[in-house]
Amino acid sequence: DAFPSCLHLVSGEKEQIMSEALEAARIAANKYMVVNVGKENFHLRMRIHPWHVLRHNKMLSCAGADRLQTGMRHAFGKAIGKCARVSIGAIMMSIRVQDQ
């Protein structure tokens, strides 16, 4: 095997992680590994993917807002982003490296 050692980033809580946070973690880990071990000496894999769509039902807070909105009636909301639902002990990222 080209990369015999493997490191895992494991979740300690049950949580939802936004796609932007996953991308930032991937970029930071990739940058760190390129600087410290070299571009060809590791393999990084994101093990979770953001499938869950987050929605927000916007509410008005100005005077007379009760005449302009419907409250919780038809409260589906607009999509504001995607997230990955992660359970305790789930592997989020794996980095395989060469022994040196």
Side-chain angles (χ1 to χ4, degrees):
D1 193 20
F3 303 109
S5 298
C6 187
L7 303 167
H8 297 298
L9 179 65
V10 179
S11 173
E13 296 182 12
K14 187 173 182 180
E15 56 195 354
Q16 294 182 353
I17 302 174
M18 293 285 294
S19 60
E20 292 85 1
L22 290 172
E23 182 68 10
R26 183 191 68 80
I27 290 171
N30 191 39
K31 185 77 157 179
Y32 181 85
M33 294 300 288
V34 166
V35 168
N36 289 313
V37 299
K39 189 175 177 182
E40 300 294 326
N41 297 327
F42 72 97
H43 177 259
L44 187 143
R45 173 174 287 170
M46 296 302 293
R47 302 279 295 267
I48 58 174
H49 303 286
W51 300 117
H52 183 73
V53 177
L54 294 176
R55 297 187 172 274
H56 180 67
N57 181 27
K58 291 188 177 178
M59 305 290 277
L60 297 174
S61 62
C62 58
D66 54 342
R67 292 178 290 140
L68 301 174
Q69 63 189 17
T70 59
M72 291 303 292
R73 189 180 306 141
H74 305 296
F76 192 62
K78 290 185 178 180
I80 60 169
K82 288 182 170 182
C83 72
R85 288 189 168 180
V86 180
S87 59
I88 297 171
I91 298 173
M92 296 187 285
M93 184 189 308
S94 296
I95 302 176
R96 297 186 304 154
V97 294
Q98 293 179 346
D99 288 333
Q100 292 181 356

